[in-house]
Amino acid sequence: MSDILSALGDILDERKGASADSSYVASLYAKGLNKILEKVGEEATETILAAKDAEHSGDNQDVIYETADLWFHSLVALAHLGERPEAVINELARRFNMSGLEEKASRSDK
Ligand SMILES: N=c1c2ncn([C@@H]3O[C@H](COP(=O)(O)OP(=O)(O)OP(=O)(O)O)[C@@H](O)[C@H]3O)c2ncn1[C@@H]1O[C@H](COP(=O)(O)O)[C@@H](O)[C@H]1O
């Protein structure tokens, strides 16, 4: 799973050298951090609305789509600040390891 995030991180880094009219990500970088954060906020709102609809309809397709938009724009914000997706994966891994769940999972394998 994190292979895709790493590959996307490479593309987000490459886009820093691209002209604003050649790519969506390059156009966001050119507009600056406030515009990128505005997109993160919009996608968060759309994710919330889609989750509420999904609870009633039982169809999760839209909330998955909106969550992908939210993750993507969050990664653009991090890339703009010079961070990689792996930094978030590592933080989640650190929390997982701290919780002791990894140890319990490996014990139950034996
Ligand atoms: N994963 C994504 C991705 N997810 C969503 N989006 C774009 O994010 C935008 C979502 O914003 P909205 O739904 O608000 O649509 P919009 O009206 O077009 O946006 P605004 O004009 O309001 O900013 C759309 O333009 C989507 O195309 C993405 N654009 C790019 N990627 C990845 O980023 C890579 C680089 O993209 P480019 O920079 O376009 O080459 C691509 O290869 C993809 O892997």
Side-chain angles (χ1 to χ4, degrees):
M1 178 192 78
S2 61
D3 286 353
I4 291 290
L5 295 181
S6 290
L8 181 55
D10 291 343
I11 291 177
L12 298 183
D13 285 344
E14 279 169 30
R15 292 294 186 263
K16 288 179 183 173
S19 68
D21 57 3
S22 67
S23 125
Y24 176 69
V25 173
S27 77
L28 280 180
Y29 289 148
K31 288 174 188 162
L33 184 61
N34 281 350
K35 177 63 189 179
I36 298 169
L37 296 178
E38 194 182 298
K39 292 298 298 179
V40 173
E42 278 175 30
E43 301 304 347
T45 302
E46 286 169 18
T47 300
I48 291 166
L49 295 175
K52 285 178 168 288
D53 285 347
E55 192 176 34
H56 292 293
S57 69
D59 179 352
N60 290 339
Q61 198 50 53
D62 283 354
V63 71
I64 291 167
Y65 185 92
E66 296 301 344
T67 301
D69 276 352
L70 175 59
W71 285 20
F72 169 71
H73 285 89
S74 300
L75 292 175
V76 174
L78 283 172
H80 187 72
L81 295 169
E83 287 297 342
R84 297 268 319 172
E86 291 86 345
V88 180
I89 300 287
N90 290 344
E91 176 58 20
L92 289 171
R94 188 187 68 78
R95 294 177 193 183
F96 185 76
N97 294 337
M98 261 176 44
S99 72
L101 285 174
E102 188 186 50
E103 201 187 321
K104 280 183 206 153
S106 77
R107 272 205 305 266
S108 71
D109 282 350
K110 289 173 190 161

